[in-house]
Amino acid sequence: YSLLESTLMEICDKVRSDLEFQFSVNDFANRDNLSKVCIFLEKLIDVRINRDQKGWNRREDFRHLRNIIVHQNARFIKEIPEKDLFFLKRLKGIQLNRIELKFYIMDPNLIFSFLELIGTFLQDIFDQIDCKEVKLMEVSLKSSTVINDDFPF
C-alpha cells in the first residue's frame, strides 16, 4: 500500500512540475495521501478516479492492513481490538494467533489480489494522464504561431 501511495505522489509531483502548478498534493488538507492524490488528480487535471464500491473498499482494506502492520508490527498489546479482530477475520488468508496477539498472512493470493488491484487502478490513471498529455500537446501545437524548421519555404 505504501508503494501505491508513493507512486501516486510521484505522479502528482510530475504533473505539478510539467504543468508548472504552484501547489502540490500536500497543500490539500486530508487525512491520508490517497485522498489527497485523488483530489489533486480529479480537481486539477480532470482524471476520474474509479471508486466502484468493491474495488475502493478493497483498497481501504489494504490500507487498514498496512497500518496495522506498520504501526503495530502486526502485533497487538494486551488484546486485539474488536474492530481489528472483525476486520482480520474477514480477510481471507490471515491467520490470527490470539496467544501471541499477532497475525500472519498465510495465503499469497491475498497479496496477489492486492497487486492486481493496484495494477488496474494505476493503469487506469496512467491511461487518462497519457490521453490528457496528448490533448495538451495538440493544444500547444495548434496555438503555436512560430514554426522552427529547416525548410526554406
Side-chain angles (χ1 to χ4, degrees), residues 1 5 10 13 21 23 67 72 78 89 107 128 132 134 140 143:
Y1 191 87
E5 284 183 330
E10 286 180 35
D13 283 343
F21 289 141
F23 45 87
N67 287 343
Q72 298 170 207
K78 295 183 183 178
K89 281 183 175 181
D107 186 353
Q128 290 184 62
K132 291 188 186 320
V134 168
S140 175
S143 64

Side-chain angles (χ1 to χ4, degrees), residues 55-67:
W56 193 257
N57 287 345
R58 196 70 175 148
R59 277 187 289 281
E60 286 299 307
D61 285 347
F62 285 108
R63 183 181 66 78
H64 188 167
L65 182 60
R66 174 245 180 226
N67 287 343

Side-chain angles (χ1 to χ4, degrees), residues 12-13 16 21-28 40 44:
C12 290
D13 283 343
R16 182 193 59 76
F21 289 141
Q22 297 302 313
F23 45 87
S24 73
V25 171
N26 291 320
D27 293 329
F28 292 102
F40 183 90
L44 298 178

Side-chain angles (χ1 to χ4, degrees), residues 37-72:
V37 164
C38 290
I39 291 169
F40 183 90
L41 293 173
E42 289 174 330
K43 301 291 184 196
L44 298 178
I45 61 170
D46 197 33
V47 167
R48 301 287 176 222
I49 304 298
N50 184 359
R51 287 188 173 87
D52 69 85
Q53 201 63 31
K54 183 181 177 190
W56 193 257
N57 287 345
R58 196 70 175 148
R59 277 187 289 281
E60 286 299 307
D61 285 347
F62 285 108
R63 183 181 66 78
H64 188 167
L65 182 60
R66 174 245 180 226
N67 287 343
I68 293 172
I69 292 169
V70 170
H71 298 297
Q72 298 170 207

Side-chain angles (χ1 to χ4, degrees), residues 8 10 16 18 32 40-41 44 52 54 60 70-71 83-84 103 109 111 119 122 124 127-128 131 134 147 150:
L8 290 170
E10 286 180 35
R16 182 193 59 76
D18 289 354
D32 63 84
F40 183 90
L41 293 173
L44 298 178
D52 69 85
K54 183 181 177 190
E60 286 299 307
V70 170
H71 298 297
K83 70 176 180 77
D84 290 334
F103 70 90
N109 288 320
I111 305 300
L122 289 175
D124 182 47
D127 291 345
Q128 290 184 62
C131 181
V134 168
I147 299 174
D150 294 332

